[in-house]
Amino acid sequence: MSLFQTTEPPFRFRQGTRPLLISMPHVGTHVPPALAERFTAQARHVPDTDWHLERLYDFADELGASVLVATHSRYVVDLNRPPDDQNLYPGQDTTGLCPVDTFDKTPIYAAGDVPGQPEIAARRFAIWHPYHRQLQAELDRLKAAHGTIALWDAHSIRSVLPRFFEGKLPDLNLGSANGASCDPALAATLLGIAASAPGYTGVLNGRFKGGYITRQYGNPARGIHAVQLEMTQCSYMQEALPFDYLPEVAAGVQPHVRRMLEAVLTFVEQR
């Protein structure tokens, strides 16, 4: 038997018409049954999912954006980590390419049978590489068609996670890899939208500066502008089980997220 088997495709993809790709690498919830049997009861709930982002970004098709969506849980393989599992935040605690514990530092594997390197390689081959091949292919297509393009990496996280940051996280956390992944003028425009959103807080390159996807694919000198948005989940959903989407809460933040994406499109289409 293979070290890793799945019947689910590694991603869902919708091709758009305008120079914007929205990537959602942490929305997947699928865990193959044989793997789920090794998980703790808590881990089977995949609590560290970026829940409901497709619903929050339901305006993406209307904007003409392409959308790439993960299907498998980050507990299977984390699509926003480097393939060699290098720590993107040296000196800070992070979870790995194939995590062995949750954001609360509880074990994912009930019997401690964490994946070894051959199993990690098999998961990387089955899911990580296909997702990134599709991401690169779509960026190449958009670049050929439009010249200047944008990549938006969409994320969300619990607003209070002592493992990763002190206190409550700002609501709208924009990351441009400290200015390396997109034009500073675009980043400033986006921060202005976040900062002026009534009832929400925003920051640029704070605790979350952008993960592997933002850093790997953003290349403003080549006309590829990549931005990560890490949102607090309390801005649109219930942060504890059953992790429900809260439409009346989401209705408050969704227009501001849309304004950001519209600003991104305006920026790249004027280049």
Side-chain angles (χ1 to χ4, degrees):
M1 178 181 288
S2 168
L3 288 165
F4 176 76
Q5 292 182 323
T6 182
T7 58
E8 291 290 310
F11 58 82
R12 296 189 302 274
F13 174 69
R14 303 193 304 277
Q15 189 174 101
T17 58
R18 297 174 75 189
L20 171 63
L21 171 60
I22 300 173
S23 164
M24 299 182 181
H26 290 155
V27 301
T29 58
H30 181 68
V31 179
L35 181 55
E37 287 178 2
R38 294 160 57 190
F39 281 11
T40 63
Q42 180 187 9
R44 289 188 194 114
H45 291 296
V46 290
D48 302 323
T49 301
D50 293 10
W51 301 97
H52 310 298
L53 285 186
E54 280 189 280
R55 185 169 177 182
L56 187 73
Y57 283 80
D58 64 6
F59 54 83
D61 292 348
E62 196 176 310
L63 290 184
S66 297
V67 182
L68 178 62
V69 179
T71 54
H72 288 68
S73 170
R74 69 190 300 158
Y75 291 171
V76 179
V77 63
D78 191 326
L79 300 170
N80 201 30
R81 295 290 184 271
D84 63 0
D85 207 12
Q86 183 179 1
N87 190 338
L88 293 172
Y89 293 93
Q92 297 182 12
D93 194 3
T94 63
T95 51
L97 182 66
C98 292
V100 297
D101 56 7
T102 71
F103 287 175
D104 291 325
K105 274 206 155 177
T106 61
I108 290 175
Y109 294 86
D113 55 339
V114 301
Q117 288 305 312
E119 183 180 356
I120 291 172
R123 296 189 203 178
R124 191 168 54 224
F125 177 81
I127 300 169
W128 193 99
H129 283 297
Y131 188 92
H132 284 268
R133 281 196 298 269
Q134 181 62 43
L135 197 161
Q136 184 66 67
E138 182 59 8
L139 289 179
D140 291 345
R141 186 192 74 83
L142 291 173
K143 187 83 173 67
H146 301 281
T148 303
I149 65 172
L151 169 62
W152 185 269
D153 211 40
H155 295 264
S156 71
I157 194 168
R158 271 182 286 161
S159 58
V160 178
L161 267 175
R163 177 177 183 176
F164 300 132
F165 47 84
E166 294 182 4
K168 183 179 182 293
L169 192 69
D171 297 306
L172 302 167
N173 299 267
L174 293 156
S176 67
N178 284 334
S181 70
C182 82
D183 189 294
L186 174 57
T189 297
L190 297 171
L191 180 60
I193 294 171
S196 64
Y200 302 97
T201 52
V203 68
L204 173 64
N205 294 317
R207 172 58 181 87
F208 295 99
K209 305 176 190 300
Y212 177 79
I213 289 172
T214 306
R215 303 182 198 197
Q216 174 70 15
Y217 298 101
N219 190 336
R222 287 193 57 236
I224 304 172
H225 301 272
V227 178
Q228 175 177 292
L229 176 62
E230 184 83 68
M231 289 182 56
T232 53
Q233 292 181 337
C234 64
S235 299
Y236 71 97
M237 60 167 280
Q238 185 180 51
E239 291 195 337
L241 277 169
F243 306 116
D244 286 341
Y245 188 80
L246 302 175
E248 69 284 359
V249 177
V253 76
Q254 192 179 47
H256 304 297
V257 178
R258 179 168 182 153
R259 282 181 61 207
M260 290 185 197
L261 270 296
E262 289 171 342
V264 168
L265 279 165
T266 297
F267 181 89
V268 296
E269 289 178 340
Q270 289 177 346
R271 293 304 187 268

